[in-house]
Amino acid sequence: MMCSLVQKIGLLIAFGILTATIGLAVYLTFPHILDKEINKRLVLDENSETYKYWKDVPVPIYLQFYFFNITNPEEIWNQTSKPVLKEMGPYTFRESREKVNITFLQNSTVQYRQVRRWFYQPERTNGSLEDIVTTLNVPMMAAALRGKQMNDDLVYFALEEIFSQLNCSWFIRKPVRELLFEGYEDQLMQIAKAFMNLPYDKFGWFYQRNGTDDGEITAFTGHDNINALDEIYTWNNMRYVPNFEPPCNMINGSAGDLWPPVKSRNQEITLFVPDICRSLSFSFLSVIRTKGVRAYRFWADGTQLDNGEWDPNHACFCPEDICLPAGAINVSSCKFDAPAVVSYPHFLFADSVYREGVVGMEPDPEKHRMYLDIIPEMGIPVGVAARMQINIIFEGVPNITQFENVTERIYFPVLWFSETAEIGDDMVSQLQLVLNTLPLVMNGVAFFLVAVGSVLVLTAFGLSILYALRKNEPAYSSVTSEK
């Protein structure tokens, strides 16, 4: 049975409204559906798409070291000049990360260790590992300051005799390879091992670190709460570190591989750093594009290494007995009582007292700040720059002849490092598909359906008008003929 024109118009209107409604529904609901699917795939389990990325980080990571070479050791010894430092490097290593001993637990957490290995990259290095650096004699500095803390005449006498017998100097000259991973033998350390629980037989900033891990980590998988994804639950079976006062002793933040999706630019991103036994928080800086992918850049601003001067919440990082001027933190309690102070490179954002003690510091936010580039929809880091400087406290010890004439405390820069990572092209393609191409296609489909539905409805209205005009035409004609 043939449909009448009125029925056809009605069908056009109904089909047009249905098509436009479907298009509008696709436009409004697709972002929520995509977020839900992303969240489901972000959850860590052995069958999830994220697991492979998380287990063996595919992003190329490079670790660059810069040493500060002391150019005037004699003048420093004679106390006629400030230390004049010249930066050397970078000395570049490729870093690989592999998670081992992975165990999924019942409380939606996963336990693991992350093994890191470094491979020298001569083509990315300025110089070579044979370069000789004049630097501080760290074992000597550590022994002298430890003696000062103990404040015992017998200890002072013993240290002075040992320094004299070993002909110890404030400064040493060593190749980069020994200062980094190989380590060098030091008689002072051999003597110290007899009295102290030192874990190493040589000294080197990364001695015996290659192929090791930062401890056992237990983190949330995001199964029960996606907002807790990769949040550290315990580190070495501890919920709190013993190195700081509450609440600064809390272990919180990500281990650095994943974060939950970022809901707001006002949200802080938190990272736990085992090397300094504490967490750092990153705040929103800007929106950037990395190889066509939109990301949020978060940065660790000047308040992160504060002593409470700028941010009262950080006062607990600075106990009275070892509190430092703003811009650096004392990590001696985290590093076997070594007189180590951590700052940003070239004392960026730090109190002027740090730079005034030496010559050669040139802080530059573009070169020296820390940042994380994170895709907000997925919490995946696509760019990372972790930068820190290691400094040694150099000060007088009145009861030890070798240090009795030192009148001022100097925070002596030794080296700084930059750990950077950026996603590869293969991962960029996958991210562009999910974040750019798929939404673009679905929006195109949605607008097409709305447009088709609108055209059908408008066509139906047009036909309705024509039908009404034609229906009234005979009556108008008969009236005209009667006249």
Side-chain angles (χ1 to χ4, degrees):
M1 182 177 179
M2 297 294 292
C3 294
S4 66
L5 182 58
V6 174
Q7 290 175 319
K8 290 179 180 179
I9 291 172
L11 287 174
L12 279 177
I13 293 174
F15 188 69
I17 292 174
L18 178 62
T19 303
T21 301
I22 292 173
L24 184 62
V26 169
Y27 177 76
L28 294 175
T29 62
F30 177 74
H32 301 287
I33 294 172
L34 182 61
D35 286 346
K36 187 175 180 180
E37 287 300 311
I38 288 175
N39 289 349
K40 185 163 65 175
R41 285 166 170 74
L42 285 177
V43 173
L44 283 175
D45 65 56
E46 293 177 283
N47 299 316
S48 71
E49 296 179 20
T50 308
Y51 178 77
K52 183 179 179 181
Y53 165 88
W54 173 84
K55 182 178 182 296
D56 299 299
V57 179
V59 177
I61 303 171
Y62 292 97
L63 185 59
Q64 296 180 308
F65 296 97
Y66 299 80
F67 279 91
F68 291 107
N69 184 55
I70 301 170
T71 63
N72 60 337
E74 291 84 4
E75 293 175 1
I76 301 171
W77 178 263
N78 295 326
Q79 311 239 348
T80 59
S81 173
K82 293 181 181 180
V84 178
L85 309 177
K86 182 179 180 181
E87 186 176 281
M88 298 174 61
Y91 303 95
T92 307
F93 293 77
R94 171 75 181 266
E95 179 178 315
S96 71
R97 297 182 179 183
E98 177 191 8
K99 292 180 176 62
V100 298
N101 302 337
I102 300 172
T103 305
F104 286 91
L105 306 176
Q106 295 298 318
N107 60 343
S108 296
T109 61
V110 58
Q111 193 175 80
Y112 65 92
R113 291 178 179 270
Q114 181 165 254
V115 176
R116 295 193 292 175
R117 298 179 177 87
W118 293 279
F119 307 90
Y120 179 53
Q121 306 288 297
E123 70 281 2
R124 291 175 175 261
T125 294
N126 180 22
S128 79
L129 296 182
E130 298 301 325
D131 290 349
I132 302 298
V133 182
T134 301
T135 186
L136 275 185
N137 185 344
V138 176
M140 183 183 186
M141 300 296 125
L145 289 185
R146 181 60 177 161
K148 187 175 183 179
Q149 292 169 359
M150 296 173 70
N151 194 26
D152 184 279
D153 289 340
L154 184 60
V155 173
Y156 288 138
F157 175 77
L159 286 174
E160 184 171 322
E161 285 299 311
I162 291 171
F163 292 160
S164 297
Q165 292 297 321
L166 298 180
N167 197 25
C168 290
S169 170
W170 291 346
F171 311 110
I172 57 170
R173 287 172 52 80
K174 297 292 180 181
V176 171
R177 58 181 174 80
E178 290 186 2
L179 291 172
L180 285 176
F181 292 98
E182 288 187 17
Y184 61 89
E185 292 184 354
D186 186 275
Q187 288 181 292
L188 192 57
M189 287 192 66
Q190 299 301 323
I191 295 172
K193 278 183 68 69
F195 302 96
M196 301 170 61
N197 185 26
L198 291 180
Y200 307 118
D201 59 342
K202 293 182 179 181
F203 179 80
W205 291 106
F206 280 73
Y207 177 60
Q208 291 189 350
R209 289 285 302 277
N210 212 339
T212 63
D213 60 78
D214 291 323
E216 187 177 73
I217 293 174
T218 303
F220 291 102
T221 63
H223 184 270
D224 293 336
N225 179 10
I226 193 63
N227 292 322
L229 176 65
D230 207 34
E231 178 87 9
I232 292 179
Y233 178 60
T234 63
W235 174 53
N236 290 331
N237 296 315
M238 296 185 297
R239 298 286 302 276
Y240 304 92
V241 295
N243 313 94
F244 302 105
E245 298 296 322
C248 294
N249 62 343
M250 293 177 60
I251 296 175
N252 51 24
S254 167
D257 298 315
L258 293 171
W259 279 269
V262 179
K263 305 297 183 184
S264 168
R265 297 182 184 182
N266 296 324
Q267 178 179 337
E268 284 193 333
I269 301 298
T270 307
L271 171 68
F272 180 72
V273 186
D275 279 333
I276 58 175
C277 301
R278 60 162 287 187
S279 299
L280 295 175
S281 294
F282 295 70
S283 55
F284 177 80
L285 180 64
S286 62
V287 177
I288 66 160
R289 297 197 75 84
T290 300
K291 298 182 179 180
V293 178
R294 184 182 70 107
Y296 287 174
R297 172 160 290 181
F298 291 84
W299 71 309
D301 62 23
T303 66
Q304 286 306 298
L305 301 182
D306 182 27
N307 59 3
E309 177 181 339
W310 301 321
D311 186 344
N313 294 323
H314 292 160
C316 49
F317 283 121
C318 206
E320 291 184 6
D321 57 333
I322 55 172
C323 192
L324 304 177
I329 59 170
N330 192 318
V331 295
S332 58
S333 61
C334 182
K335 292 298 177 184
F336 312 107
D337 290 324
V341 171
V342 167
S343 68
Y344 294 131
H346 288 251
F347 295 124
L348 178 69
F349 304 134
D351 190 292
S352 60
V353 69
Y354 293 103
R355 291 189 296 277
E356 289 170 356
V358 297
V359 177
M361 297 294 98
E362 298 177 355
D364 183 345
E366 292 301 317
K367 295 180 181 178
H368 301 141
R369 67 185 171 197
M370 292 182 65
Y371 65 81
L372 301 169
D373 296 335
I374 293 179
I375 296 176
E377 298 88 347
M378 308 176 78
I380 293 177
V382 293
V384 176
R387 294 160 174 158
M388 284 287 181
Q389 179 170 298
I390 299 174
N391 314 279
I392 296 298
I393 296 175
F394 179 74
E395 64 182 4
V397 184
N399 300 82
I400 299 178
T401 302
Q402 292 84 353
F403 290 87
E404 63 183 2
N405 293 327
V406 179
T407 57
E408 296 182 2
R409 171 182 279 193
I410 298 175
Y411 301 94
F412 222 113
V414 177
L415 66 93
W416 70 274
F417 61 87
S418 176
E419 190 173 50
T420 57
E422 187 174 308
I423 55 171
D425 293 337
D426 53 340
M427 187 176 292
V428 167
S429 300
Q430 298 177 39
L431 293 172
Q432 286 178 334
L433 175 64
V434 174
L435 299 174
N436 297 342
T437 306
L438 190 57
L440 184 64
V441 169
M442 295 306 296
N443 285 341
V445 170
F447 286 126
F448 175 76
L449 292 175
V450 171
V452 169
S454 300
V455 168
L456 291 176
V457 172
L458 290 174
T459 301
F461 278 118
L463 291 174
S464 299
I465 293 171
L466 290 175
Y467 174 75
L469 290 176
R470 288 179 181 176
K471 186 176 181 182
N472 293 330
E473 186 176 331
Y476 174 76
S477 301
S478 62
V479 171
T480 305
S481 61
E482 287 177 0
K483 291 182 177 180

